[in-house]
Amino acid sequence: GALLLTGLANIQTIQTAYIAEINAVIFVRGKKPDSKMIALASEKKIPLLGTRYSMYEACGLLYKMGLVPTMERLKREDENG
């Protein structure tokens, strides 16, 4: 599973998340999706979340809570076969 943290609140964000098989989108800095984005995310079954934290703070908090960055996870998987 992967999360997309972004400050871009446009329809392309949802399209990109769907194509990249992202499990959820988190909007930072208080950004909010419009009704078209919400409808498309619902159709594609992509949960939308939001925070007032900056990108830096949100990523730091998620990392501190144990969320492993994708590249680090892939490296671990390669090492363990």
Side-chain angles (χ1 to χ4, degrees):
L3 297 173
L4 173 63
L5 275 74
T6 184
L8 301 174
N10 61 48
I11 202 79
Q12 283 305 113
T13 301
I14 307 305
Q15 294 288 12
T16 300
Y18 180 72
I19 290 167
E21 298 180 358
I22 302 292
N23 295 85
V25 175
I26 301 174
F27 295 100
V28 297
R29 297 187 324 267
K31 299 287 180 147
K32 296 186 180 187
D34 64 21
S35 59
K36 289 180 183 179
M37 291 176 66
I38 293 169
L40 182 60
S42 179
E43 176 187 319
K44 304 288 186 187
K45 297 181 172 49
I46 300 172
L48 302 179
L49 305 156
T51 182
R52 291 184 182 207
Y53 288 113
S54 69
M55 177 77 72
Y56 179 80
E57 292 170 307
C59 289
L61 286 168
L62 290 170
Y63 185 79
K64 183 179 176 182
M65 296 176 111
L67 188 69
V68 179
T70 300
M71 295 309 294
E72 188 175 321
R73 181 179 52 83
L74 292 174
K75 182 179 176 186
R76 288 180 188 176
E77 290 174 3
D78 284 346
E79 290 171 354
N80 295 325

